[in-house]
Amino acid sequence: MINDRLIDAGDLPLAVRDFGGDQPPLLLLHGAGANLAHMTTLARALRPHHRVITVDLRCHGRSGDGPWTWDAALGDLAAVCVQMELNRPAVVGHSLGGMLAALWAQRHPETPGVVSLDGNPPPTRPEHLPGLDPEKAAAELARLHAVFDAVEAAAGQVIPADQLPDLVERQQMAARDMGANEKVWIEGFRRNLAHVDGETSIRPSGPATAELRALMNSLDLGPVYAATTCPELVILPTRSLPEQEPFAELYAAHRRFLVEQAQAAPNLRYLQLADASHAMVIEQPAAIASIVTEFLTPLTPR
């Protein structure tokens, strides 16, 4: 039976969804700007083999607001493990959640296994784009960062009441275009709506978005992977999202960098998922669940 609850993480409440069962525990973490509802389809696919627990990360969904640091977010996950009585859970995360999974693995060598679903920081330097002329790489990065600047500037803005129905309809169309479960997708959209003093905005807020962006831009996973001793799998995309197509060369080069980085890590396995983009959780939940289960089953006591 699925159970939603709020737990006390010390400085803020955390919303948790427990998919139940008596199989080995697995923490499933969403990406930036998403929430636990967006992981529902993958959680259901994993449930036959794990007790799956999804979490709204701080500043997302129904969880509380607080400063965004890696230490704070990892402390939140530790609080979830204690209060949900999870003994050495496996950790699987998408995007931002995958970065947290990698950091958790570095700090918790007793973890039976972690899986990152394209949990990689965005490219920020020409060195992240092998095969591109450095001058062109710098120009493309400047163009990309301008797009991210605009996204950050728009984060947390108030949505006029008369525009909200149009936004919901656009989310429904997006779900259909991606082949996502429409009901799940709309739950995810509505779960990130904040209603304060008669005004509605989308979480995370502008300040939280800025903090997250700075953290991800400064994260170097190379040393993290090198210091990790527990079993770790990184699943990488093989194509761009539609909105990434204007930067096709940049993202192709960055995918080359991610493969090189994974190959250099001594204790890490990686897989390039065929016909998958950064939205792999939506595109191929059944395939991902099968890969994750095959990786974790020999590692987790039954």
Side-chain angles (χ1 to χ4, degrees), residues 102-118:
L103 292 166
W104 180 272
Q106 179 190 21
R107 300 187 187 194
H108 295 271
E110 75 282 3
T111 303
V114 299
V115 181
S116 168
L117 309 174
D118 198 22

Side-chain angles (χ1 to χ4, degrees), residues 132-153:
L132 273 191
D133 174 78
E135 187 173 336
K136 181 174 184 179
E140 286 294 277
L141 285 170
R143 196 164 66 94
L144 179 65
H145 293 166
V147 172
F148 287 143
D149 287 342
V151 172
E152 181 182 323

Side-chain angles (χ1 to χ4, degrees), residues 8-237:
D8 181 3
D11 60 340
L12 49 75
L14 290 173
V16 175
R17 179 169 292 172
D18 183 355
F19 284 79
D22 57 1
Q23 299 295 327
L26 183 153
L27 270 177
L28 183 59
L29 309 176
H30 64 79
N35 56 63
L36 63 79
H38 292 100
M39 307 302 284
T40 300
T41 303
L42 179 56
R44 287 172 176 161
L46 289 165
R47 185 166 56 180
H49 303 281
H50 291 276
R51 176 191 171 194
V52 182
I53 296 91
T54 53
V55 184
D56 282 338
L57 300 176
R58 57 174 52 213
C59 305
H60 293 75
R62 298 290 184 261
S63 289
D65 284 316
W68 242 102
T69 66
W70 296 122
D71 284 344
L74 291 168
D76 292 345
L77 300 183
V80 171
C81 291
V82 170
Q83 296 201 33
M84 300 295 290
E85 299 182 345
L86 308 179
N87 181 30
R88 296 175 61 236
V91 182
V92 178
H94 174 239
S95 195
L96 170 65
M99 298 177 223
L100 283 169
L103 292 166
W104 180 272
Q106 179 190 21
R107 300 187 187 194
H108 295 271
E110 75 282 3
T111 303
V114 299
V115 181
S116 168
L117 309 174
D118 198 22
N120 297 291
T124 56
R125 302 195 303 273
E127 308 92 88
H128 297 160
L129 305 173
L132 273 191
D133 174 78
E135 187 173 336
K136 181 174 184 179
E140 286 294 277
L141 285 170
R143 196 164 66 94
L144 179 65
H145 293 166
V147 172
F148 287 143
D149 287 342
V151 172
E152 181 182 323
Q157 290 184 357
V158 172
I159 304 168
D162 61 348
Q163 293 183 15
L164 192 54
D166 288 341
L167 278 177
V168 173
E169 185 176 351
R170 276 161 37 198
Q171 290 293 321
Q172 290 172 323
M173 292 173 62
R176 293 182 201 124
D177 289 344
M178 291 185 292
N181 182 305
E182 189 174 321
K183 182 179 178 181
V184 166
W185 192 255
I186 294 302
E187 181 198 356
F189 172 72
R190 292 191 181 279
R191 193 176 180 87
N192 265 353
L193 294 179
H195 306 283
V196 181
D197 297 330
E199 295 182 331
T200 300
S201 60
I202 298 178
R203 305 184 80 205
S205 67
T209 298
E211 287 178 332
L212 280 167
R213 184 182 176 195
L215 279 175
M216 290 187 285
N217 283 349
S218 62
L219 179 63
D220 182 358
L221 284 178
V224 175
Y225 291 152
T228 297
T229 57
C230 76
E232 184 167 10
L233 172 66
V234 174
I235 301 179
L236 299 172

Side-chain angles (χ1 to χ4, degrees), residues 230-281:
C230 76
E232 184 167 10
L233 172 66
V234 174
I235 301 179
L236 299 172
T238 49
R239 61 175 174 83
S240 296
L241 289 163
E243 56 265 36
Q244 293 174 335
E245 285 302 326
F247 301 92
E249 281 190 273
L250 179 150
Y251 280 104
H254 191 231
R255 288 193 292 273
R256 291 194 293 271
F257 169 78
L258 296 177
V259 170
E260 292 174 2
Q261 186 180 56
Q263 288 174 334
N267 298 314
L268 181 144
R269 289 172 53 188
Y270 77 94
L271 169 71
Q272 294 173 273
L273 187 59
D275 194 30
S277 74
H278 186 64
M280 59 178 68
V281 170

